[in-house]
Amino acid sequence: MGIQENDQSRSRRSFDVSGIDWDDEASIHQWARNVWTLVTNEWGNHMPETPSTVLTDEYTKAVAYATDLHASQRRKGNTIPYAAHLLGVSSLVLEAGGTQSEAIAGLLHDAVEDCGGLPTLEVIRSRFGDRVAEIVLACSDSTDEDWKRTVGYWERKQAYLDHLESTADERAVLVS
Protein backbone atom coordinates (compact mmCIF):
# COMPACT_ATOMS: atom_id res chain seq x y z
CA MET A 1 0.00 0.00 0.00
CA GLY A 2 2.17 2.85 -1.19
CA ILE A 3 1.41 6.25 -2.49
CA GLN A 4 1.43 6.70 -6.21
CA GLU A 5 1.08 10.18 -7.58
CA ASN A 6 -1.13 10.14 -10.63
CA ASP A 7 -0.64 13.76 -11.66
CA GLN A 8 2.84 15.23 -11.62
CA SER A 9 1.82 18.92 -11.73
CA ARG A 10 2.52 20.92 -8.56
CA SER A 11 -0.89 22.55 -8.46
CA ARG A 12 -2.91 19.37 -8.46
CA ARG A 13 -2.23 15.88 -7.14
CA SER A 14 -4.26 12.75 -6.84
CA PHE A 15 -3.26 9.62 -5.00
CA ASP A 16 -3.98 5.98 -5.67
CA VAL A 17 -6.30 4.63 -2.98
CA SER A 18 -6.84 1.17 -4.47
CA GLY A 19 -4.64 -0.54 -1.86
CA ILE A 20 -6.56 0.79 1.13
CA ASP A 21 -8.81 -1.48 3.14
CA TRP A 22 -11.55 1.03 4.03
CA ASP A 23 -12.76 -1.27 6.81
CA ASP A 24 -9.33 -1.31 8.48
CA GLU A 25 -8.58 1.85 10.42
CA ALA A 26 -4.85 1.06 10.57
CA SER A 27 -4.73 0.82 6.76
CA ILE A 28 -6.45 4.19 6.40
CA HIS A 29 -4.20 5.84 8.99
CA GLN A 30 -1.04 4.49 7.35
CA TRP A 31 -2.10 5.81 3.95
CA ALA A 32 -2.96 9.21 5.49
CA ARG A 33 0.44 9.36 7.22
CA ASN A 34 2.16 8.60 3.91
CA VAL A 35 0.22 11.36 2.12
CA TRP A 36 0.89 13.82 4.97
CA THR A 37 4.62 13.08 4.85
CA LEU A 38 4.77 13.54 1.07
CA VAL A 39 2.82 16.79 1.12
CA THR A 40 4.59 18.36 4.09
CA ASN A 41 8.00 17.43 2.69
CA GLU A 42 7.05 19.15 -0.55
CA TRP A 43 5.71 22.23 1.27
CA GLY A 44 8.90 22.39 3.29
CA ASN A 45 10.82 23.03 0.07
CA HIS A 46 8.52 25.86 -1.04
CA MET A 47 7.09 27.57 2.04
CA PRO A 48 8.82 30.69 3.34
CA GLU A 49 10.36 30.62 6.78
CA THR A 50 7.74 31.47 9.36
CA PRO A 51 8.32 32.60 12.90
CA SER A 52 7.03 30.35 15.64
CA THR A 53 3.44 30.95 16.47
CA VAL A 54 2.69 32.34 19.90
CA LEU A 55 -0.60 31.08 21.27
CA THR A 56 -2.69 33.55 23.23
CA ASP A 57 -5.78 33.41 25.41
CA GLU A 58 -7.82 33.38 22.19
CA TYR A 59 -6.46 29.89 21.45
CA THR A 60 -7.35 28.73 24.96
CA LYS A 61 -10.90 30.06 24.45
CA ALA A 62 -11.11 28.20 21.13
CA VAL A 63 -10.05 24.92 22.81
CA ALA A 64 -12.79 25.40 25.40
CA TYR A 65 -15.40 26.30 22.76
CA ALA A 66 -14.50 23.36 20.48
CA THR A 67 -14.50 20.95 23.43
CA ASP A 68 -17.89 22.25 24.54
CA LEU A 69 -19.39 22.01 21.03
CA HIS A 70 -18.26 18.41 20.55
CA ALA A 71 -18.48 17.30 24.22
CA SER A 72 -20.90 14.43 23.65
CA GLN A 73 -19.27 13.18 20.44
CA ARG A 74 -16.88 10.25 20.12
CA ARG A 75 -14.62 9.16 17.27
CA LYS A 76 -16.37 6.74 14.94
CA GLY A 77 -16.17 3.16 16.14
CA ASN A 78 -14.63 3.78 19.57
CA THR A 79 -14.93 5.73 22.81
CA ILE A 80 -12.21 8.32 22.20
CA PRO A 81 -13.56 11.85 22.77
CA TYR A 82 -13.94 13.74 19.49
CA ALA A 83 -11.91 16.59 20.98
CA ALA A 84 -8.79 14.41 20.58
CA HIS A 85 -9.20 14.64 16.79
CA LEU A 86 -9.67 18.42 16.93
CA LEU A 87 -6.58 18.89 19.08
CA GLY A 88 -4.62 16.64 16.73
CA VAL A 89 -5.60 18.68 13.68
CA SER A 90 -4.69 21.91 15.43
CA SER A 91 -1.35 20.43 16.47
CA LEU A 92 -0.54 19.38 12.90
CA VAL A 93 -1.39 22.88 11.64
CA LEU A 94 1.01 24.41 14.18
CA GLU A 95 3.74 21.88 13.37
CA ALA A 96 3.41 22.79 9.69
CA GLY A 97 3.99 26.49 10.47
CA GLY A 98 0.37 27.57 10.75
CA THR A 99 -0.73 30.74 12.47
CA GLN A 100 -2.84 30.95 15.60
CA SER A 101 -5.91 31.67 13.43
CA GLU A 102 -5.23 28.57 11.34
CA ALA A 103 -4.73 26.48 14.50
CA ILE A 104 -8.04 27.76 15.86
CA ALA A 105 -9.69 26.87 12.56
CA GLY A 106 -8.21 23.40 13.01
CA LEU A 107 -9.96 23.15 16.37
CA LEU A 108 -13.25 24.30 14.85
CA HIS A 109 -13.06 22.72 11.38
CA ASP A 110 -15.95 20.30 12.04
CA ALA A 111 -18.13 22.67 14.07
CA VAL A 112 -20.32 23.90 11.21
CA GLU A 113 -21.02 20.49 9.67
CA ASP A 114 -21.49 18.67 13.00
CA CYS A 115 -22.75 21.28 15.45
CA GLY A 116 -25.37 23.60 14.05
CA GLY A 117 -24.58 24.76 10.53
CA LEU A 118 -24.47 28.44 9.57
CA PRO A 119 -25.62 29.77 12.99
CA THR A 120 -22.51 28.12 14.48
CA LEU A 121 -20.39 29.71 11.75
CA GLU A 122 -21.67 33.14 12.77
CA VAL A 123 -20.77 32.46 16.42
CA ILE A 124 -17.28 31.44 15.27
CA ARG A 125 -17.02 34.62 13.19
CA SER A 126 -18.05 36.82 16.12
CA ARG A 127 -15.70 35.09 18.59
CA PHE A 128 -12.65 34.40 16.42
CA GLY A 129 -12.90 36.66 13.36
CA ASP A 130 -13.48 36.48 9.63
CA ARG A 131 -10.29 34.57 8.76
CA VAL A 132 -11.06 31.69 11.13
CA ALA A 133 -14.68 31.60 9.89
CA GLU A 134 -13.56 31.53 6.24
CA ILE A 135 -11.25 28.58 6.85
CA VAL A 136 -13.87 26.70 8.89
CA LEU A 137 -16.44 27.19 6.11
CA ALA A 138 -13.93 26.01 3.49
CA CYS A 139 -13.28 22.90 5.61
CA SER A 140 -16.98 22.04 6.02
CA ASP A 141 -18.46 19.35 3.81
CA SER A 142 -21.95 20.71 4.49
CA THR A 143 -23.75 23.59 6.15
CA ASP A 144 -27.13 21.87 5.78
CA GLU A 145 -27.89 19.09 8.25
CA ASP A 146 -30.80 17.79 6.11
CA TRP A 147 -28.48 17.41 3.09
CA LYS A 148 -25.93 15.67 5.29
CA ARG A 149 -28.55 13.17 6.51
CA THR A 150 -29.82 12.40 3.00
CA VAL A 151 -26.55 12.22 1.04
CA GLY A 152 -24.19 9.28 1.52
CA TYR A 153 -20.84 9.66 3.26
CA TRP A 154 -18.68 8.98 0.18
CA GLU A 155 -20.73 11.29 -2.04
CA ARG A 156 -20.36 14.09 0.54
CA LYS A 157 -16.63 13.48 0.90
CA GLN A 158 -16.10 13.45 -2.87
CA ALA A 159 -17.96 16.75 -3.20
CA TYR A 160 -15.80 18.13 -0.38
CA LEU A 161 -12.58 16.99 -2.07
CA ASP A 162 -13.74 18.55 -5.35
CA HIS A 163 -14.38 21.79 -3.45
CA LEU A 164 -10.93 21.71 -1.84
CA GLU A 165 -9.30 21.04 -5.18
CA SER A 166 -10.83 24.22 -6.58
CA THR A 167 -10.08 26.51 -3.62
CA ALA A 168 -7.30 29.03 -3.97
CA ASP A 169 -6.92 29.22 -0.19
CA GLU A 170 -3.84 27.11 0.57
CA ARG A 171 -4.18 27.68 4.32
CA ALA A 172 -7.69 26.18 4.27
CA VAL A 173 -6.19 23.17 2.51
CA LEU A 174 -3.51 23.01 5.22
CA VAL A 175 -6.19 22.88 7.92
CA SER A 176 -8.17 20.31 5.98
Side-chain angles (χ1 to χ4, degrees):
M1 168 187 55
I3 302 174
Q4 294 180 346
E5 297 179 52
N6 296 329
D7 180 359
Q8 295 299 317
S9 71
R10 284 201 31 76
S11 62
R12 189 172 177 162
R13 297 220 186 264
S14 60
F15 299 95
D16 179 17
V17 297
S18 61
I20 299 172
D21 178 355
W22 292 105
D23 294 320
D24 176 30
E25 193 168 323
S27 174
I28 295 167
H29 284 288
Q30 182 59 50
W31 178 82
R33 275 193 290 282
N34 291 344
V35 170
W36 177 255
T37 299
L38 177 75
V39 170
T40 56
N41 285 344
E42 182 176 307
W43 283 345
N45 295 330
H46 302 285
M47 289 181 72
E49 285 293 319
T50 56
S52 13
T53 298
V54 174
L55 300 177
T56 68
D57 189 46
E58 184 177 15
Y59 184 84
T60 304
K61 289 175 184 175
V63 170
Y65 181 60
T67 302
D68 184 53
L69 278 175
H70 296 274
S72 64
Q73 297 174 347
R74 302 284 178 249
R75 295 289 286 164
K76 287 182 177 80
N78 60 50
T79 60
I80 296 171
Y82 198 76
H85 164 66
L86 304 173
L87 291 165
V89 170
S90 184
S91 173
L92 290 171
V93 169
L94 290 168
E95 288 180 24
T99 65
Q100 175 173 270
S101 291
E102 293 155 356
I104 289 171
L107 291 167
L108 300 171
H109 76 276
D110 284 333
V112 171
E113 69 186 59
D114 292 341
C115 301
L118 293 176
T120 299
L121 180 66
E122 291 314 309
V123 172
I124 291 168
R125 185 180 310 283
S126 71
R127 289 186 180 189
F128 304 105
D130 290 337
R131 183 65 185 128
V132 170
E134 290 166 6
I135 294 171
V136 169
L137 182 59
C139 292
S140 299
D141 75 359
S142 173
T143 59
D144 179 346
E145 291 184 17
D146 288 333
W147 182 79
K148 189 174 177 181
R149 279 193 294 274
T150 59
V151 176
Y153 176 85
W154 291 112
E155 185 178 344
R156 282 195 336 267
K157 295 307 171 186
Q158 185 59 57
Y160 172 67
L161 291 173
D162 292 344
H163 157 75
L164 275 181
E165 196 169 60
S166 67
T167 187
D169 188 344
E170 291 180 8
R171 304 321 275 183
V173 173
L174 169 67
V175 172
S176 180

